[in-house]
Amino acid sequence: MAPSGSGRIKRSCQRVLYWIPVLFITIIVAWSYYAYVVQLCIESVENIWEKIVCLLAYHIFFFMFAWAYWQTIFTKPMNPLKEFHLSYVDKEVLEREDRGESQQEILRRIAKDLPIYTRTMSGAIRFCDRCQLVKPDRCHHCSVCDKCILKMDHHCPWVNNCVGFSNYKFFMLFLLYSLLYCLFIAATDLQYFIKFWTNGLPDTQAKFHIMFLFFAASMFSVSLSSLFGYHCWLVGKNRSTLEAFRAPAFRHGADKNGFSLGFSKNFRQVFGEEKKFWPLPIFSSQGDGCSFPACLVNQDPEQPPAPGGYNPPNKTAGEPNAFPAKPLRESQSRLLHSGPPWPESEGVGDKDTQGTSNPGMTVENET
């Protein structure tokens, strides 16, 4: 059914409102640029060499912050491949079945040839009723974007975008350079902030910009340091924010360390193998976002024996594969075979039993 006029107007208003947090950050950063460059460096700093060094270092931090922020906002989240979507025939067959167990049998048949290891908390195939697809591992439906997002971490209002497989590295660098930007401003502004309280600054409007600049940079530094530290911990454990609150479920049960391969491999899964790309907001994450190496305690008898791997069924000559024969890229395969994994010592996470009223075809309630 076509959306009504009032519905289109409502969604248009929502899209405008979603940009308000981004506009707020942009205004704060624009003011900080004016306050630091013009009021502090040009108007207040007297030593020419100090002025040059501060301006040069500031613009480096500012450029890296703006680049990472732009990439986080405007990188489109990746959605599941077409192989995970139900065909027209499968949709019709699924809709004709009114029993949950029969629907699950259909979904199990569809998922049999896909690299999927996770289940719902009740053990059912993870199926998105809105997108009509079998969810890949670590994929979740975003209620704001109304789409399934690969390796979804969370929907961030400050970037008006879903943070997931395609832009999680950019989000981490955005937090890092935001923190360094604020720390640099606070550190170089400190001596002039002290002069403000000791009446060592001339009585101009610059003194008020210097005072508020220090307060703003200090407050943002505190909040950003805690947020950046938390996401560094998530990267080290190879978890998303959603997985930290609700451990992914496998056939043997929930396991919050199910995707952890050790700190070094977990880090490279997000930032890639090439060290020269680590500090740059350029996509270098490993894998395809649809399948991930898993550190499983008990192997799934219905799936291929290699964790995170995929063995397609035998095909006759000329028959197209339902899914690419190599779902893991070479860089992702190295995660499994390059050296011994670092052990993880934490136990099994808490279980969440949320689901729909149909126990056979459970659709996860996600944000």
Side-chain angles (χ1 to χ4, degrees):
M1 180 182 295
S4 62
S6 60
R8 286 195 296 268
I9 294 174
K10 180 181 179 181
R11 281 192 294 273
S12 299
C13 293
Q14 287 177 335
R15 283 195 291 267
V16 173
L17 292 176
Y18 288 153
W19 284 102
I20 290 179
V22 177
L23 181 62
F24 173 77
I25 294 295
T26 304
I27 292 174
I28 292 294
V29 172
W31 167 78
S32 70
Y33 185 92
Y34 168 77
Y36 190 89
V37 173
V38 177
Q39 297 297 333
L40 178 62
C41 291
I42 297 178
E43 299 291 339
S44 302
V45 178
E46 297 178 353
N47 187 292
I48 185 64
W49 292 111
E50 180 184 355
K51 185 178 297 188
I52 293 174
V53 170
C54 286
L55 285 173
L56 181 61
Y58 172 83
H59 280 90
I60 292 174
F61 287 121
F62 178 82
F63 174 77
M64 295 305 296
F65 157 76
W67 186 10
Y69 193 40
W70 177 276
Q71 288 286 76
T72 308
I73 294 173
F74 294 104
T75 298
K76 186 178 179 180
M78 289 181 63
N79 309 118
L81 299 175
K82 63 179 182 180
E83 287 79 9
F84 291 87
H85 289 76
L86 267 61
S87 65
Y88 179 77
V89 175
D90 289 331
K91 290 179 184 178
E92 284 194 331
V93 173
L94 195 66
E95 289 174 357
R96 284 199 299 264
E97 293 292 342
D98 55 355
R99 292 187 301 112
E101 186 56 37
S102 299
Q103 292 172 336
Q104 269 299 300
E105 286 296 330
I106 297 171
L107 292 177
R108 277 194 287 267
R109 174 181 57 80
I110 297 171
K112 177 171 61 69
D113 296 330
L114 298 174
I116 295 174
Y117 285 88
T118 54
R119 299 288 189 268
T120 65
M121 291 300 171
S122 62
I125 298 295
R126 298 172 66 241
F127 177 77
C128 181
D129 190 49
R130 291 188 64 85
C131 299
Q132 290 291 292
L133 58 82
V134 176
K135 292 181 183 179
D137 291 343
R138 316 186 80 175
C139 173
H140 300 273
H141 187 89
C142 176
S143 58
V144 179
C145 300
D146 197 24
K147 295 179 181 178
C148 281
I149 308 299
L150 294 180
K151 196 188 176 185
M152 179 178 172
D153 187 87
H154 67 288
H155 187 94
C156 181
W158 299 108
V159 300
N160 189 28
N161 199 2
C162 256
V163 177
F165 175 76
S166 62
N167 63 350
Y168 188 65
K169 177 192 174 184
F170 306 151
F171 178 74
M172 288 293 298
L173 293 178
F174 160 62
L175 294 180
L176 171 63
Y177 290 124
S178 298
L179 178 59
L180 294 177
Y181 179 78
C182 292
L183 289 175
F184 175 79
I185 290 178
T188 53
D189 187 37
L190 178 60
Q191 60 174 313
Y192 299 96
F193 177 75
I194 295 175
K195 288 181 180 180
F196 172 84
W197 295 105
T198 57
N199 296 321
L201 290 177
D203 191 15
T204 62
Q205 66 173 353
K207 62 189 301 184
F208 297 102
H209 285 284
I210 290 172
M211 179 186 67
F212 288 117
L213 188 64
F214 181 80
F215 277 131
S218 300
M219 289 187 297
F220 278 108
S221 296
V222 173
S223 59
L224 285 169
S225 60
S226 59
L227 185 59
F228 178 66
Y230 174 68
H231 278 277
C232 286
W233 178 80
L234 290 177
V235 170
K237 297 293 185 180
N238 203 341
R239 300 175 197 165
S240 66
T241 300
L242 294 175
E243 291 167 350
F245 285 96
R246 182 174 59 187
F250 301 86
R251 286 182 62 87
H252 65 273
D255 186 356
K256 63 183 179 182
N257 294 319
F259 293 107
S260 181
L261 305 171
F263 177 81
S264 178
K265 295 177 183 179
N266 294 341
F267 179 86
R268 282 174 167 78
Q269 199 173 96
V270 175
F271 287 88
E273 293 285 353
E274 297 288 340
K275 295 182 180 179
K276 62 183 178 181
F277 293 127
W278 288 357
L280 301 178
I282 298 174
F283 185 82
S284 59
S285 301
Q286 296 179 346
D288 56 8
C290 290
S291 57
F292 296 89
C295 184
L296 301 180
V297 177
N298 298 318
Q299 290 295 322
D300 188 342
E302 297 182 4
Q303 293 292 347
Y310 166 68
N311 298 322
N314 294 329
K315 299 283 184 180
T316 58
E319 184 180 354
N321 288 330
F323 196 79
K326 187 181 179 184
L328 301 184
R329 297 177 183 173
E330 181 183 353
S331 60
Q332 193 176 9
S333 297
R334 286 201 296 270
L335 287 171
L336 294 174
H337 306 297
S338 59
W342 293 25
E344 299 284 350
S345 59
E346 297 189 30
V348 177
D350 296 331
K351 295 185 178 181
D352 191 325
T353 57
Q354 288 185 342
T356 60
S357 58
N358 188 339
M361 187 175 70
T362 306
V363 182
E364 295 183 2
N365 296 324
E366 298 168 306
T367 57

